[in-house]
Amino acid sequence: MKVRRADKANEYSPLEKEEQFQKHLIDREVVMKASDLFIRCLEAEGVEYIFGLPGEETNDLIMSILNSKIKFILVRHEQGAAFMADMYGRITQKVGVCLSTLGPGATNLTTGVANANMDRSPVLAISAQTHTNLLHKESHQNMDVITMFKPITKWRWSIRNADSIPEIVRRAFKISIEEKAGAVHLEFPQDIAKSKSDIKPITKSQEVLRSMPYKDLIKSASKMIMESKMPLILVGNGCIRGKASLHLRDFIDKTGVYSVNTFMAKGVISDKSETHLRTIGIKEADHALIAMNQADLVIAVGYDLVEYSPKNWNGSLNKKIIHVDFTPAEVDTYYPPTIEIAADIGYTIDAILHELEKEGEKKNKNANLNKCFSYDRKERLDLFKRIRKEVVQRIESFNNGDDLSYPIKPQKLVSFVRNALDENDIVISDVGAHKLWIAKVYNTYAPNTCIIPNGFCSMGFSLPAAIATQLAKPSQKIVSMCGDGGFLMNIQELETAVRLQLPIIVIVWCDSDFGMISLKQIDEFGKSAFTKFNNPDFAKLAQSFGALGYNVESTSEFPKVLEIAKESTSIPVIISIDVDYSRNHILLDDDFRA
Ligand SMILES: Cc1ncc(C[n+]2csc(CCOP(=O)(O)OP(=O)(O)O)c2C)c(N)n1
């Protein structure tokens, strides 16, 4: 199609003008209700599900959804809908959509939306709004929702005329998915939803491909790697969004450079990799930090500072840093990149590897990459090897050990779950002390198979998240692990899971305590306060919802119950188990032996 500047429009020939006019007629022949147009636009974006809870003001939209191929997932609290959209976004890398009414519905969405935004998950939150001629004054449930969403979204807009819907929706999806991905919000007033338009939805354009990294930077980066005494790769969440796992694995296999990952990057590098020092992220308390301290160069790939402050690994500012991410580095005193590459992560890693191979070939004809490094790294590599061995040994000792004491040790619980699941099944953590155990101990072999919310860190995430994951991945086993505190924060979504006949498994770690908080209180003040509570009978609670419920009463019973739970094909299973948190303090130092 020819594109001309508006001021040259008169230069079209009469024939061209006629062609344009005919096309214009075809484009505009269907007059549609705005709510229908809005839903057509979501269809054009490939939306499969909308998670939500209706109100009077969403009724036009709800009727439009009824006539579309998009499935509406009715939830029992808008926070659940937002967590579901968040998880759908994480696991599919497509924008997850949630819907609420105005006022209280919109305020209920906020925690889940903030969680998605800080964890870089693409989400579109839609809320209704009252009639536009009431907005300027005090009226039922009317509040400034747009302003409320400001600090927790990348972009937000109130739709004020039907004709602009295609552009607004396209813009919302584009911004949400753009790196770094995050949440956007659209407000849809009731009267606008009833208005009409003859504008067509905008067809989704091709995925935007990122340009190649700048050649000189690649050369400098590979030179820096070759000259480093002990490089270490820090793998972050961006590698999951950027689908960089295979590129990084190839780089590591060929160069022998060791790696660590953050919580949200579990699985990018398999925990089976001999050069992987596993997960770091607990302030100064990870064993692999010994290796981090030794490293003179950190290659930070897709690393989000929100997850793990660089002060914890670069407090003395003695490291060189190569920053590789879709976007330039965040400003932080402790994160001053020596080389900053903002480009596609996969391309960049491939390009650096290619450059190293070229240099290796120059130095020795057989392209042995280890020979391209300027220093003999044997001594330091031996140290890294030893750390890897120690970390693995500690985890394996729980795997194979026969400690059947009850309440169950957290490490034992995690290893039972690992053994019960296939490599591609998915574990979703909630927030609390259990999260730290899962991060440290759960062996992960593929990206997006161990999900840990670690930016905003909201409790109550894992049950709704498991629902969305099971919808997106029907053939995989989905296990939510949560504390007894977090589980009750969104327990109402158990009804959603039962109604949708989803065979998710929820394991509730019971200690009748906000365990993570009492741990921190005792660590700092020597005592804990206002953290203890009573629990319901979880098995009966589950059964009252129509789910299957088991209260495990001995450690040896747990793997058997897990096997029974795995057999369920259409009913959620809740398993409660008492956990021995008496040694949680070992999470706060670098030695997590039992
Ligand atoms: C919505 C929300 N409220 C409060 C917190 C602060 N917080 C972090 S961990 C935690 C305790 C979690 O307790 P529980 O779910 O029982 O898990 P446990 O620590 O016992 O494993 C609290 C209250 C939070 N992260 N999110």
Side-chain angles (χ1 to χ4, degrees):
M1 197 188 100
K2 280 180 193 164
V3 180
R4 295 195 194 191
R5 279 178 33 202
D7 58 356
K8 305 266 175 175
N10 289 335
E11 289 175 17
Y12 286 111
S13 72
L15 195 64
E16 279 177 310
K17 275 188 186 165
E18 178 58 20
E19 263 178 26
Q20 301 239 324
F21 180 65
Q22 291 301 333
K23 187 168 178 304
H24 173 82
L25 284 184
I26 295 165
D27 281 350
R28 295 173 68 99
E29 69 191 351
V30 187
V31 176
M32 235 187 260
K33 188 174 159 191
S35 60
D36 286 339
L37 174 61
F38 187 88
I39 296 302
R40 293 286 97 78
C41 290
L42 296 191
E43 282 175 345
E45 297 291 340
V47 172
E48 283 181 289
Y49 295 105
I50 297 177
F51 305 95
L53 199 158
E56 196 184 318
E57 290 74 6
T58 56
N59 281 344
D60 290 282
L61 264 180
I62 293 289
M63 293 306 138
S64 300
I65 295 169
L66 200 57
N67 296 324
S68 92
K69 45 183 198 237
I70 298 175
K71 294 178 210 76
F72 188 78
I73 304 296
L74 178 70
V75 301
R76 304 305 304 276
H77 188 297
E78 292 83 352
Q79 186 182 110
F83 280 141
M84 287 177 205
D86 170 352
M87 188 64 212
Y88 181 88
R90 282 178 213 237
I91 204 91
T92 63
Q93 301 297 308
K94 294 194 290 186
V95 178
V97 182
C98 54
L99 172 80
S100 79
T101 190
L102 71 169
T107 53
N108 272 354
L109 280 180
T110 51
T111 301
V113 171
N115 200 65
N117 199 47
M118 232 183 219
D119 284 20
R120 326 290 192 198
S121 173
V123 160
L124 165 62
I126 304 160
S127 61
Q129 186 50 287
T130 192
H131 204 288
T132 45
N133 66 14
L134 298 175
L135 279 175
H136 61 284
K137 59 183 179 183
E138 203 169 275
S139 65
H140 182 65
Q141 294 185 324
N142 172 24
M143 58 165 283
D144 183 355
V145 175
I146 292 287
T147 301
M148 178 179 74
F149 274 103
K150 190 156 192 270
I152 55 170
T153 52
K154 291 171 78 179
W155 186 68
R156 61 225 74 79
W157 205 256
S158 182
I159 300 172
R160 292 302 163 91
N161 69 73
D163 283 356
S164 51
I165 287 174
E167 279 179 2
I168 291 175
V169 172
R170 182 78 276 272
R171 193 164 154 75
F173 276 77
K174 209 170 153 62
I175 292 173
S176 172
I177 207 85
E178 248 167 38
E179 282 294 325
K180 295 192 170 188
V184 293
H185 166 245
L186 293 180
E187 176 180 86
F188 205 0
Q190 203 177 8
D191 55 323
I192 307 293
K194 289 183 190 301
S195 66
K196 295 221 164 22
S197 170
D198 58 1
I199 304 279
K200 274 186 154 185
I202 299 176
T203 324
K204 189 175 160 189
S205 48
Q206 255 192 326
E207 204 180 328
V208 181
L209 295 177
R210 278 166 196 276
S211 50
M212 295 294 284
Y214 189 53
K215 232 180 178 169
D216 285 357
L217 281 180
I218 295 296
K219 278 186 188 300
S220 317
S222 64
K223 188 162 180 285
M224 190 172 284
I225 295 169
M226 282 188 287
E227 288 174 0
S228 68
K229 292 188 173 141
M230 206 62 255
L232 185 65
I233 298 175
L234 170 58
V235 182
N237 183 29
C239 297
I240 292 193
R241 294 191 309 275
K243 301 184 181 70
S245 177
L246 293 178
H247 303 265
L248 265 170
R249 287 178 183 212
D250 188 38
F251 183 93
I252 286 165
D253 283 351
K254 291 188 173 142
T255 60
V257 174
Y258 274 71
S259 54
V260 291
N261 61 255
T262 62
F263 284 24
M264 290 206 288
K266 269 176 92 69
V268 171
I269 307 300
S270 168
D271 281 332
K272 286 180 189 160
S273 162
E274 288 299 324
T275 52
H276 191 45
L277 302 174
R278 303 180 61 108
T279 304
I280 57 169
I282 310 177
K283 296 231 168 108
E284 287 133 22
D286 291 300
H287 204 67
L289 272 180
I290 303 171
M292 199 58 142
N293 289 339
Q294 291 295 317
D296 59 339
L297 168 65
V298 171
I299 308 163
V301 190
Y303 164 59
D304 273 332
L305 278 61
V306 65
E307 241 201 300
Y308 183 47
S309 166
K311 193 174 180 185
N312 297 319
W313 53 266
N314 194 27
S316 43
L317 290 169
N318 60 353
K319 293 180 200 318
K320 288 188 172 148
I321 295 171
I322 298 178
H323 168 91
V324 178
D325 206 348
F326 292 99
T327 52
E330 187 65 51
V331 173
D332 189 298
T333 307
Y334 300 96
Y335 191 70
T338 330
I339 295 176
E340 200 169 328
I341 306 177
D344 183 275
I345 295 178
Y347 286 160
T348 306
I349 296 300
D350 286 352
I352 297 176
L353 178 62
H354 184 64
E355 190 63 30
L356 285 171
E357 282 174 334
K358 256 181 24 198
E359 288 304 310
E361 265 170 36
K362 269 191 218 160
K363 287 191 183 165
N364 60 100
K365 296 278 177 281
N366 61 5
N368 178 347
L369 275 181
N370 269 325
K371 297 252 170 72
C372 76
F373 292 102
S374 307
Y375 292 90
D376 179 7
R377 299 180 303 143
K378 182 161 181 337
E379 202 179 301
R380 286 166 190 245
L381 278 178
D382 283 348
L383 171 77
F384 280 17
K385 220 182 257 174
R386 205 194 73 220
I387 294 168
R388 158 94 193 157
K389 208 167 146 201
E390 282 169 7
V391 173
V392 171
Q393 263 172 5
R394 287 168 195 201
I395 291 162
E396 289 306 310
S397 68
F398 297 112
N399 240 343
N400 307 324
D402 47 9
D403 178 355
L404 293 179
S405 57
Y406 194 78
I408 193 168
K409 296 257 177 13
Q411 309 90 316
K412 192 76 189 161
L413 191 165
V414 173
S415 81
F416 275 137
V417 174
R418 178 64 281 177
N419 293 343
L421 296 181
D422 288 343
E423 293 199 358
N424 285 321
D425 290 334
I426 299 172
V427 158
I428 303 164
S429 175
D430 211 77
V431 173
H434 59 281
K435 175 176 108 169
L436 304 190
W437 285 112
I438 294 165
K440 274 199 180 235
V441 182
Y442 187 77
N443 288 328
T444 313
Y445 310 116
N448 262 340
T449 56
C450 179
I451 308 293
I452 302 183
N454 203 34
F456 195 64
C457 292
S458 174
M459 292 164 72
F461 166 81
S462 73
L463 170 58
I467 292 173
T469 310
Q470 190 74 82
L471 287 170
K473 308 274 176 194
S475 58
Q476 275 154 264
K477 268 284 147 214
I478 312 299
V479 176
S480 143
M481 298 228 249
C482 48
D484 41 8
F487 180 53
L488 282 190
M489 279 200 180
N490 270 316
I491 178 74
Q492 75 288 342
E493 298 313 332
L494 192 49
E495 189 280 318
T496 311
V498 170
R499 179 165 26 90
L500 297 175
Q501 301 187 337
L502 301 175
I504 55 170
I505 301 173
V506 182
I507 301 171
V508 188
W509 298 40
C510 295
D511 65 335
S512 301
D513 189 18
F514 288 122
M516 185 66 212
I517 304 307
S518 56
L519 171 69
K520 291 281 176 89
Q521 288 177 346
I522 291 166
D523 189 53
E524 191 175 348
F525 303 101
K527 57 184 169 208
S528 71
F530 309 124
T531 62
K532 304 259 183 289
F533 48 74
N534 298 322
N535 275 325
D537 180 325
F538 284 113
K540 283 190 185 153
L541 181 67
Q543 287 152 13
S544 74
F545 275 96
L548 300 172
Y550 298 91
N551 293 330
V552 170
E553 279 165 6
S554 74
T555 295
S556 56
E557 190 193 341
F558 182 54
K560 295 176 197 149
V561 174
L562 273 180
E563 287 309 312
I564 297 169
K566 274 167 56 188
E567 295 300 311
S568 174
T569 52
S570 58
I571 308 176
V573 186
I574 309 302
I575 304 171
S576 81
I577 181 162
D578 289 347
V579 184
D580 176 3
Y581 269 169
S582 61
R583 308 214 57 196
N584 270 1
H585 60 275
I586 57 179
L587 287 167
L588 304 180
D589 62 41
D590 75 349
D591 183 0
F592 63 104
R593 271 170 292 199

